């Protein structure tokens, strides 16, 4: 009788071996890919900095150990229903304690509360992965932070880093801030169908029924906040009643160093989408930022009081300013004294936003040494937008903008406005060219509260379709100073308006408009114009007003043809115009 021999089924062992082998190959490939990508980024950063007209320091991308911490190994479930806040925290903690590495968010929908970054951690969201933030306000505790350039109590940002170094958010996944549970919505920004759907979802309306709020306490937020500010010895608990009103930015990075944002789509933010604040050595590349166009304060990227920043190859479609540079607000911003400086913006596209590239209005700590190049703005409310007002103080200077393409700009292709939020001598929306009559408007005393915009150059700008080509508007007591426009082609309904400006250099300018004047100057001096196209049928081409208008130079232009295209207001001396060869 043959003996019984126990047989061993080796198939599971083989399958396990093959699985482990594949995992090893994947890990090695990911590690090699990360190292290769880091080298590419360093090369790109070096090239961008070397090509810009400023002498800026070269810095390197963050580097992370070849260690991988998958959130599902720490209890996370990507079903869109399970709360994963603790699992994310455990994975990040384990990564940090191991000396750093990559916290991986694989394919799936990962519902979570606030995520707090730690040093040496790369939060990597793989393709197919969605980080979806909770719709419960309590998952984003109140903290003392900053908002719109001043200290404030707000909800914790969905992704928050405070005084951490060598951090990154990477991958091809999506990060969704569930902003719809936080944001108020103005009726005029929605279609009728959208508004009815919003009302059906719940929430409350203000007394005028013009603004929808997600909760009654959010509606009462502004009023209650003023009451809190009048109290003494206020604590965080005093703000709890209006938690829903205190909307967070989606990505808040405060006092961080060596930061990389590379690849993800950031969408549906409660307020500003991405907010590096008082941070250094920040790289933003290959990201997409999306917000509904009606999203209140739905900015794309707000760089505030940061040093050494490179932003490139990114796309923005947002509800407020797209790429915005700030440095604190009023007295607090001046006390902080941290400018935004050494910044390069390159090869970005903005599809919608209040402004394509923006400086201000909170710029009290100053903004300097900025290069913007090779960007495209499609349908942004304003293309290149500089804004401030009395009370801000600060200096904006050494800004170089080159090779910008724009199309279908509803207001101004280029706008400098020092009357932001105030009644200006000329409307901020470009709706009229008849508001510059206030030649006797009073100058205010110059002080630390007076904003200064100077030494700003723009070249090779093309815009096909705008309401107004250019608005250059300073203050009577502090004209905008040393502004140069060169090689400009703009097709617009209205031309260029320049009010309270000094040392303005315009060369090789073609503005295609049927409505005159094509160039209008009010209380502007030391203006140099060279090779200005005079083929327009608009009459007049040049209009000069204001008793301070003087020292207007024309160069390389046909004098006989030129004199027939100029109109001088009675208060402007004929000696104010200096013709070729005079």
């Amino acid at each position: 009788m043959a003996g019984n021999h126990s047989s061993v089924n080796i198939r599971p062992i083989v399958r396990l071996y093959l699985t482990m082998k594949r995992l090893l190959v994947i890990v090695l490939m990911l590690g090699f890919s990360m190292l290769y990508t880091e080298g590419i980024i360093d090369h790109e950063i070096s090239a961008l900095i070397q090509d810009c007209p400023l002498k800026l320091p070269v810095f390197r991308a963050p580097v992370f150990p070849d260690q991988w911490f998958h959130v599902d190994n720490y209890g996370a479930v990507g079903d869109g229903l399970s709360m994963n806040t603790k699992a994310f925290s455990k994975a990040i903690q384990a990564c940090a304690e191991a000396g750093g590495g990559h916290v991986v968010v694989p394919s799936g929908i990962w519902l979570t509360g606030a995520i707090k970054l730690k040093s040496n951690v790369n939060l990597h969201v793989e393709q197919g992965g969605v980080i979806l933030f909770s719709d419960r306000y309590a998952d984003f505790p109140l903290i003392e932070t900053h908002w719109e350039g001043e200290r404030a109590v707000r909800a914790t940002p969905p992704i928050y880093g405070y005084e951490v170094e060598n951090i990154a958010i990477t991958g091809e996944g999506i990060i969704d801030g569930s902003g719809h549970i936080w944001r108020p919505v103005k009726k005029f920004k929605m279609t009728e169908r959208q508004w009815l759907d919003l009302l059906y979802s719940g929430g409350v309306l203000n007394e005028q029924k013009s603004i929808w709020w997600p909760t009654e306490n959010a509606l009462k937020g502004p009023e209650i906040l003023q009451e809190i500010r009048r109290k003494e010895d206020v604590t965080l608990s005093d703000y709890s009643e209006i938690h829903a009103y205190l909307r967070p930015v989606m990505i808040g990075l405060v006092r961080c160093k060596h930061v990389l944002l590379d690849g993800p789509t950031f969408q549906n933010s409660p307020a500003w989408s991405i907010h590096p604040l008082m941070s250094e050595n920040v790289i933003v590349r290959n990201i997409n930022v999306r917000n509904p166009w009606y999203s209140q304060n739905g900015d794309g990227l707000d760089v505030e009081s940061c040093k050494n920043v490179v932003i490139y190859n990114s796309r923005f479609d947002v509800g407020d300013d797209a790429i915005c540079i700030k440095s604190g607000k009023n007295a607090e911003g001046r006390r902080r004294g941290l400018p935004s400086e050494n910044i390069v913006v390159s090869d970005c596209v903005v599809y919608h936003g209040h402004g394509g590239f923006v400086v201000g209005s909170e710029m009290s700590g100053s903004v300097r040494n900025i290069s913007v190049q090779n960007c495209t703005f499609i349908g942004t409310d304003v293309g290149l937008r500089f804004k401030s007002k009395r009370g801000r103080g600060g200096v904006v200077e050494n800004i170089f903008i080159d090779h910008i393409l724009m199309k279908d700009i509803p207001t101004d292709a280029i706008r400098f406005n020092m009357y932001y939020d105030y009644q200006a001598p000329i409307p901020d929306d470009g709706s009229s060219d008849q508001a510059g009559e206030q030649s006797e408007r009073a100058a205010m005393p110059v002080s630390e509260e007076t904003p200064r915009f100077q030494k700003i150059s723009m070249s090779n700008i093309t815009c096909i379709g705008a309401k107004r080509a250019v608005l250059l508007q300073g203050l009577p007591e502090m004209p905008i100073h040393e502004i140069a426009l060169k090689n400009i082609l703009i097709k617009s309904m209205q031309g260029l308006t320049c009010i309270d400006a000094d040392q303005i250099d315009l060369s090789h300018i073609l503005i295609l408009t049927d409505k005159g004047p094509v160039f209008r100057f009010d209380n502007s001096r030391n203006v140099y114009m060279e090779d200005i196209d005079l083929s327009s049928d608009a009459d007049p081409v040049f209009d000069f007003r204001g008793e301070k208008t003087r020292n207007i130079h024309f160069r390389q232009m046909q004098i006989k043809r030129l004199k027939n295209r100029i109109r001088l207001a009675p208060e402007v001396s004929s000696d104010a115009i200096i013709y070729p060869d005079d």
Side-chain angles (χ1 to χ4, degrees), residues 323-343:
I323 304 169
C324 192
I325 313 299
K326 301 175 180 288
S327 64
K329 183 177 180 179
N330 297 347
E332 184 169 325
R334 295 192 297 273
R335 284 195 300 269
R336 180 196 296 170
L338 292 177
S340 279
E341 60 183 339
N342 304 342
I343 299 173

Side-chain angles (χ1 to χ4, degrees), residues 37 80 91 116 131 226 236 243 246 268 322 390 415 459 535 541:
T37 301
K116 295 185 178 180
I131 297 178
Q226 291 305 315
L236 286 178
H243 196 148
L246 301 172
N268 196 17
R390 290 169 173 143
R415 176 187 294 175
S459 57
S535 62
V541 173

Side-chain angles (χ1 to χ4, degrees), residues 358-377:
V358 183
V359 174
S361 72
E362 303 95 343
M363 37 59 68
S364 304
S366 296
V367 173
R368 61 193 181 213
N369 302 340
I370 313 289
S371 172
V372 183
Q373 58 190 7
N374 302 324
C375 291
T376 302
F377 308 142

